[in-house]
Amino acid sequence: MDKWLSRPNVVRILSLALGILLWTIVHFDPDSTPNTVASGEETRTFNDVKVQVLGLDEHNYVLKSVDPAKVKLIVRGTPSDLLAAKMGDGYLVQADLSNVRAGSHTITLRTDLPRSIQTIRIEPATVNVVVEELQTKEFEVQVTPTGTPKEGYKAGTPILRPTNRVHVTLPASEMDRVDHVGASISVDGADKTLKDKSVKLVAYDGSNKPIEKAVVDPAVLEVEVPITNPFKLVPIQLKLTGRLPAGLSIAGLSPSVEQATIYGPQAELDKIDFVEADVDMTSLTKSGKVEIPLNKASQITEVSPATITVDVQVVLTQTRTIQGLPVTVSGLGGGLEMKITDPASGQVDITFKGAPAVLDKLQPGDVSVEADVTGRGPGVYSIPLNVNSPRFVDQSGGRTAIMVEITAIAAEPPPGATPDEAASGSAIEPSGSEPPDAEGTTGTGSPSPSPTPSGSATPQADGG
């Protein structure tokens, strides 16, 4: 055996046989029928190869459609190269959109294959693409609290950080669909302010449905939701109590704030229109600033601020008399008439006291003098005067009452009465009636009642 293998011709024959065997193994085609060996190159057809789009400027444009989306690809190569390509990245058919802008375009397809594989044909060789321009628009973010805070608490307006405005990017044809950009955050059961909460923002259409393709920038914001008792902002009223020491007047009161915030049940807040601060004038002897607490109703949990500073200006009192102020009379009953008998002019002189600067500005139109005769019948009365003057101005002298005379309005004579009858107050008797007798009785013999006034004509004391 060793002698046979040592022969050169035998070695050559064996080497040739091994080479043929190795070539056969390498070029064996698994897709062919058993025991069939491919020789040279062959052609392959691949159906439904997806068209790959590349090169589109996605910052400014969006691809709306590719037609067709899949094509047929016919290639040529050795079986081993075809198999290697199939097992690698596959057979790529591409549409290059590097130079396209908004609109419809016809793009010639190209392949991305190994150099050893030849492209025979692409069917179809072109595709139609539609590209649309992207549009960006700014919107204000709306964050909606959901749920109900703990009883007695109220959710305030959400505060967004770092901004409450974002940008939405969409194809130009769809931008009009955006109604608002928003998010929701739960406040259910909360009894304190919610801080450092992140919310994801979504663009919504008019039906409050999310727009899936919308790109929101920034997509997430930090939100804070104040949780407080129900509150209400009301004005502060200064209520003057007591009397200033003799000889002093207030020239002005200037509170440090004009409004206060009150907290409590909503039903109680609805009943309150202002809060008061009591200014005790008995302790005011000179100008300066005083701390005064604000009055708090029993159902109100908090008043903010709890106290205010009032700048009080106290000066020496002066007086001033305004003459000829008309008196307005009210309350006169029906069927009555009235005249002022004292003073006959119906005007009075009133002396006022107050701070000099306040009195200097006082005008007759700033003062009203009223007399009320409600409930008075015919007669003569002394009616007290009610003098209304500006704040920090008081009556210190002058007229305090007027005399008035109230009389009944004479009835108009009935139609057809003669002047004498009208003057005597008699009326023409109807036909068939009997005149009264000399004793003042009617035809039936009954005495005729004598008329009596509805009120005494005797002057009465003040207040009737």
Side-chain angles (χ1 to χ4, degrees), residues 359-375:
L359 293 178
D360 289 343
K361 297 178 181 178
L362 189 64
Q363 300 295 323
D366 301 329
V367 179
S368 65
V369 182
E370 300 174 351
D372 187 3
V373 297
T374 301

Side-chain angles (χ1 to χ4, degrees), residues 406-429:
I406 301 176
T407 58
I409 299 175
E412 294 184 3
T418 65
D420 292 340
E421 291 172 331
S424 63
S426 302
I428 299 176
E429 294 292 334

Side-chain angles (χ1 to χ4, degrees), residues 259-424:
Q259 294 179 311
T261 304
I262 56 176
Y263 299 83
Q266 190 63 50
E268 295 300 321
L269 295 180
D270 294 339
K271 300 176 184 178
I272 299 176
D273 296 323
F274 58 88
V275 293
E276 289 184 336
D278 295 336
V279 180
D280 183 9
M281 294 193 296
T282 59
S283 62
L284 301 179
T285 59
K286 61 181 180 179
S287 299
K289 295 182 179 180
V290 294
E291 293 288 329
I292 301 176
L294 297 182
N295 299 337
K296 182 171 75 68
S298 59
Q299 298 298 322
I300 297 301
T301 59
E302 182 184 355
V303 178
S304 180
T307 62
I308 62 172
T309 300
V310 179
D311 188 2
V312 183
Q313 299 179 33
V314 178
V315 298
L316 294 176
T317 300
Q318 288 189 1
T319 60
R320 177 187 172 190
T321 300
I322 298 182
Q323 300 176 338
L325 293 172
V327 179
T328 301
V329 180
S330 62
L332 185 65
L336 301 173
E337 58 185 2
M338 181 221 70
K339 68 176 181 177
I340 298 175
T341 59
D342 185 20
S345 65
Q347 297 179 340
V348 295
D349 300 338
I350 303 293
T351 299
F352 297 97
K353 66 178 182 179
V358 177
L359 293 178
D360 289 343
K361 297 178 181 178
L362 189 64
Q363 300 295 323
D366 301 329
V367 179
S368 65
V369 182
E370 300 174 351
D372 187 3
V373 297
T374 301
R376 312 273 184 175
V380 178
Y381 303 94
S382 175
I383 305 298
L385 295 178
N386 182 27
V387 179
N388 298 309
S389 57
R391 201 176 193 186
F392 310 136
V393 174
D394 297 311
Q395 182 180 4
S396 64
R399 195 82 181 214
T400 59
I402 59 173
M403 298 297 296
V404 300
E405 181 180 1
I406 301 176
T407 58
I409 299 175
E412 294 184 3
T418 65
D420 292 340
E421 291 172 331
S424 63

Side-chain angles (χ1 to χ4, degrees), residues 31-44:
D31 294 332
S32 61
T33 57
N35 300 323
T36 300
V37 178
S39 61
E41 294 183 341
E42 60 181 50
T43 300
R44 291 285 181 87

Side-chain angles (χ1 to χ4, degrees), residues 55-367:
L56 180 65
D57 180 6
E58 296 182 348
H59 293 289
N60 297 303
Y61 302 96
V62 63
L63 180 65
K64 298 292 289 185
S65 65
V66 178
D67 185 31
K70 294 181 179 181
V71 296
K72 178 189 293 186
L73 175 63
I74 304 173
V75 297
R76 181 186 298 277
T78 64
S80 59
D81 290 339
L82 294 173
L83 177 60
K86 184 176 181 182
M87 296 178 65
D89 294 334
Y91 295 90
L92 302 181
V93 177
Q94 300 173 333
D96 186 2
L97 306 185
S98 300
N99 298 318
V100 301
R101 297 293 180 264
S104 298
H105 306 272
T106 300
I107 304 298
T108 301
L109 298 175
R110 68 185 187 187
T111 58
D112 185 8
L113 304 174
R115 296 180 62 182
S116 58
I117 298 177
Q118 178 185 2
T119 301
I120 302 300
R121 188 165 60 253
I122 303 174
E123 296 180 357
T126 61
V127 291
N128 294 320
V129 297
V130 178
V131 175
E132 187 172 357
E133 185 176 8
L134 288 175
Q135 189 177 69
T136 299
K137 189 176 179 180
E138 188 178 64
F139 289 87
E140 185 173 357
V141 178
Q142 302 174 15
V143 175
T144 305
T146 61
T148 304
K150 187 177 179 180
E151 184 177 359
Y153 289 82
K154 183 178 181 180
T157 302
I159 303 169
L160 292 168
R161 295 186 180 91
T163 178
N164 67 338
R165 304 190 72 85
V166 296
H167 293 90
V168 175
T169 301
L170 269 174
S173 62
E174 298 184 40
M175 183 57 73
D176 288 342
R177 292 179 56 200
V178 181
D179 179 74
H180 65 280
V181 176
S184 62
I185 183 170
S186 175
V187 297
D188 203 39
D191 60 358
K192 61 182 179 180
T193 297
L194 303 179
K195 296 182 178 180
D196 301 326
K197 300 294 182 180
S198 297
V199 291
K200 183 179 180 180
L201 305 179
V202 178
Y204 294 93
D205 62 15
S207 301
N208 210 35
K209 294 181 180 179
I211 302 175
E212 301 296 340
K213 297 180 181 179
V215 177
V216 182
D217 182 34
V220 176
L221 290 177
E222 298 295 323
V223 64
E224 175 181 322
V225 183
I227 304 295
T228 63
N229 280 327
F231 62 90
K232 182 179 181 180
L233 192 64
V234 293
I236 297 173
Q237 290 189 3
L238 299 179
K239 181 181 177 182
L240 304 180
T241 62
R243 290 183 177 274
L244 282 170
L248 298 179
S249 293
I250 293 179
L253 294 176
S254 302
S256 56
V257 293
E258 302 288 343
Q259 294 179 311
T261 304
I262 56 176
Y263 299 83
Q266 190 63 50
E268 295 300 321
L269 295 180
D270 294 339
K271 300 176 184 178
I272 299 176
D273 296 323
F274 58 88
V275 293
E276 289 184 336
D278 295 336
V279 180
D280 183 9
M281 294 193 296
T282 59
S283 62
L284 301 179
T285 59
K286 61 181 180 179
S287 299
K289 295 182 179 180
V290 294
E291 293 288 329
I292 301 176
L294 297 182
N295 299 337
K296 182 171 75 68
S298 59
Q299 298 298 322
I300 297 301
T301 59
E302 182 184 355
V303 178
S304 180
T307 62
I308 62 172
T309 300
V310 179
D311 188 2
V312 183
Q313 299 179 33
V314 178
V315 298
L316 294 176
T317 300
Q318 288 189 1
T319 60
R320 177 187 172 190
T321 300
I322 298 182
Q323 300 176 338
L325 293 172
V327 179
T328 301
V329 180
S330 62
L332 185 65
L336 301 173
E337 58 185 2
M338 181 221 70
K339 68 176 181 177
I340 298 175
T341 59
D342 185 20
S345 65
Q347 297 179 340
V348 295
D349 300 338
I350 303 293
T351 299
F352 297 97
K353 66 178 182 179
V358 177
L359 293 178
D360 289 343
K361 297 178 181 178
L362 189 64
Q363 300 295 323
D366 301 329
V367 179

